Amino acid sequence: MCLQNGCTHHRKIGYLLLITLLVLVSGCSNSAYPIDHEQLSEDERIVIRFSHVVGEQTPKGLAARKFAKLVKERSNGFIEVQVFPNGNLYKDGEELDALNRGDIQMVAPSTSKLTPIVPEWQVMDLPFAFRNSSDVQDYLQGEIGQKLLAKLNKEGLYPLGIWDNGFKQMTSQYGPLIKPKDFAGQRFRVMPSTVIEDQFKALQVDTQIHSFDEVYQLLNNGIIDGQENTFSNIVSKDLHSLQNYLTISDHGYLGYVVLMNLEFWESLSLDVQKLLTDTFREVTEWEVELAQELNEKNQQDIEQCGCIEIHRLTEEEKQLWEDALQPVYRNFEDRFRAEYIEQLPKNKEAQASH
């Protein structure tokens, strides 16, 4: 494992360990890559089309741009990562199919978007499953995390690693969301995850699956009443301007699995793979810090705008939500093995204390 640039902070170490487990080739130096540029013609230039659905000023959007810039610089222009943000090239439900066809080479879907092809990834959507980003890192670095990543390989996908976007909050047009009963009868946009649908059904919400880039218009046209998202996603799409109430709940984690087409990845030389994985590792370390900073800044922006009523759940209120959402855990355990739940950090700690 590389310990460079003074990287001693525990959160950085956790992510470096995760990326080390995911890459085929690792190295401690980003200063030189022995790609023989003089032997490459312009026609042999490597183009990586990277499609994603969020705004350019989000953690994922900024990290994608930084990755593209560094790769181009370090390869002297012979590797070009072309970034297509905001669902401009492919929408949520289209990008994985496009990746499998080879129409694009790189995507960064949320973990929820992977559940149609690897349903076990729904464990990442369990409400209140993770208390902080360190919990997420511990889980994905463990046995369950490696099983989840291996299942992606079987689907023709090569996972470069995980980018962070923090925790989700609730927003609504109709009334403050303080107690579980406050959700009843509302219409919420959800991502394609059975666990997320179960979560809102337990709250008596009418769920609708839509692409993230459609959420603003859906709210603006009154087709949905509310949604869940991180502060950075809410601000980047100006969703709070269309909502009257926001509850700071931190109820669900939102992260992205950065994927390449496996066949494309294996077609690359080891030198190119090394350049990409070294650069990705560096950008990931930067992105994790950025996600926390940007979500904190965007939370402050919303609090200072005076445009939406904000409520932060107390510990007692949070427990009411957790109690109401217990059926989600039972449904998940019925569909999959209990080990996915038992290995959650908070449950492992509870077992160790007995």
Side-chain angles (χ1 to χ4, degrees):
M1 170 183 167
C2 291
L3 292 177
Q4 55 184 0
N5 299 326
C7 178
T8 59
H9 190 279
H10 71 281
R11 181 148 55 88
K12 294 182 180 179
I13 291 175
Y15 264 83
L16 285 173
L17 284 171
L18 174 59
I19 300 306
T20 301
L21 290 168
L22 296 173
V23 299
L24 293 177
V25 181
S26 63
C28 291
S29 173
N30 290 326
S31 59
Y33 298 93
I35 299 172
D36 193 351
H37 302 297
E38 295 181 0
Q39 299 301 315
L40 290 174
S41 69
E42 184 64 24
D43 292 338
E44 294 174 302
R45 186 170 59 97
I46 298 170
V47 176
I48 299 172
R49 287 154 64 88
F50 185 175
S51 175
H52 69 80
V53 301
V54 300
E56 292 186 276
Q57 299 305 311
T58 61
K60 178 165 64 174
L62 292 167
R65 287 167 54 191
K66 185 178 182 70
F67 179 74
K69 178 177 182 292
L70 291 178
V71 166
K72 187 172 185 178
E73 290 174 354
R74 292 170 181 181
S75 67
N76 294 325
F78 278 90
I79 306 174
E80 181 181 358
V81 179
Q82 299 176 348
V83 180
F84 300 88
N86 286 306
N88 291 334
L89 195 60
Y90 293 102
K91 298 184 185 301
D92 277 344
E94 303 169 344
E95 58 181 10
L96 281 173
D97 287 339
L99 184 70
N100 281 326
R101 291 194 306 268
D103 294 342
I104 51 179
Q105 292 72 45
M106 194 170 177
V107 296
S110 67
T111 57
S112 303
K113 308 291 174 53
L114 299 176
T115 62
I117 56 174
V118 182
E120 290 86 348
W121 273 92
Q122 292 175 47
V123 70
M124 303 301 295
D125 293 324
L126 287 170
F128 301 105
F130 306 102
R131 298 160 300 187
N132 49 52
S133 293
S134 294
D135 274 0
V136 176
Q137 297 162 27
D138 291 342
Y139 191 71
L140 291 176
Q141 290 164 24
E143 179 184 355
I144 296 297
Q146 297 312 298
K147 285 184 179 180
L148 292 172
L149 293 167
K151 289 179 182 293
L152 295 175
N153 286 141
K154 294 179 180 178
E155 298 297 326
L157 304 171
Y158 181 78
L160 281 168
I162 310 293
W163 282 350
D164 199 12
N165 196 7
F167 286 80
K168 295 182 288 186
Q169 322 302 335
M170 297 284 194
T171 70
S172 171
Q173 181 70 13
Y174 298 111
L177 302 172
I178 300 174
K179 297 181 179 179
K181 66 180 182 180
D182 297 332
F183 286 85
Q186 295 200 42
R187 300 165 298 173
F188 267 60
R189 173 263 178 176
V190 300
M191 290 187 284
S193 165
T194 302
V195 161
I196 294 179
E197 288 188 76
D198 285 350
Q199 166 187 285
F200 282 106
K201 286 177 181 176
L203 297 171
Q204 301 180 52
V205 170
D206 174 21
T207 60
Q208 301 180 24
I209 297 174
H210 294 286
S211 173
F212 174 64
D213 59 288
E214 299 175 311
V215 175
Y216 184 92
Q217 286 303 322
L218 292 167
L219 289 170
N220 193 43
N221 295 333
I223 296 172
I224 58 174
D225 304 315
Q227 59 89 52
E228 59 170 3
N229 239 305
T230 61
F231 283 112
S232 63
N233 279 356
I234 291 170
V235 170
S236 73
K237 295 295 187 180
D238 198 29
L239 302 182
H240 56 298
S241 69
L242 301 175
Q243 301 276 264
N244 291 327
Y245 304 93
L246 181 147
T247 298
I248 301 176
S249 53
D250 293 331
H251 64 278
Y253 173 74
L254 180 57
Y256 308 106
V257 185
V258 185
L259 300 166
M260 278 195 174
N261 177 291
L262 181 59
E263 184 178 352
F264 173 79
W265 174 260
E266 292 177 341
S267 73
L268 301 174
S269 70
L270 294 181
D271 291 339
V272 171
Q273 288 180 356
K274 176 175 172 53
L275 186 152
L276 292 174
T277 53
D278 282 354
T279 304
F280 184 83
R281 182 187 299 111
E282 180 181 327
V283 171
T284 297
E285 180 183 333
W286 175 84
E287 190 275 343
V288 172
E289 297 268 330
L290 175 69
Q292 180 175 341
E293 293 171 2
L294 196 55
N295 274 297
E296 289 174 355
K297 178 185 180 300
N298 289 152
Q299 178 179 344
Q300 292 174 1
D301 292 340
I302 292 176
E303 290 174 343
Q304 293 171 5
C305 78
C307 57
I308 189 169
E309 183 176 316
I310 300 172
H311 177 79
R312 181 186 293 274
L313 289 184
T314 65
E315 288 304 314
E316 293 78 11
E317 291 164 349
K318 187 174 291 188
Q319 189 60 54
L320 290 176
W321 285 37
E322 292 195 49
D323 292 343
L325 296 172
Q326 276 307 304
V328 181
Y329 280 78
R330 291 195 292 271
N331 291 343
F332 180 89
E333 191 170 334
D334 288 342
R335 290 193 295 267
F336 309 107
R337 294 188 298 276
E339 64 175 331
Y340 287 92
I341 295 174
E342 293 170 351
Q343 293 299 312
L344 290 172
K346 65 177 183 178
N347 290 336
K348 289 179 68 175
E349 291 174 9
Q351 294 165 12
S353 66
H354 290 310

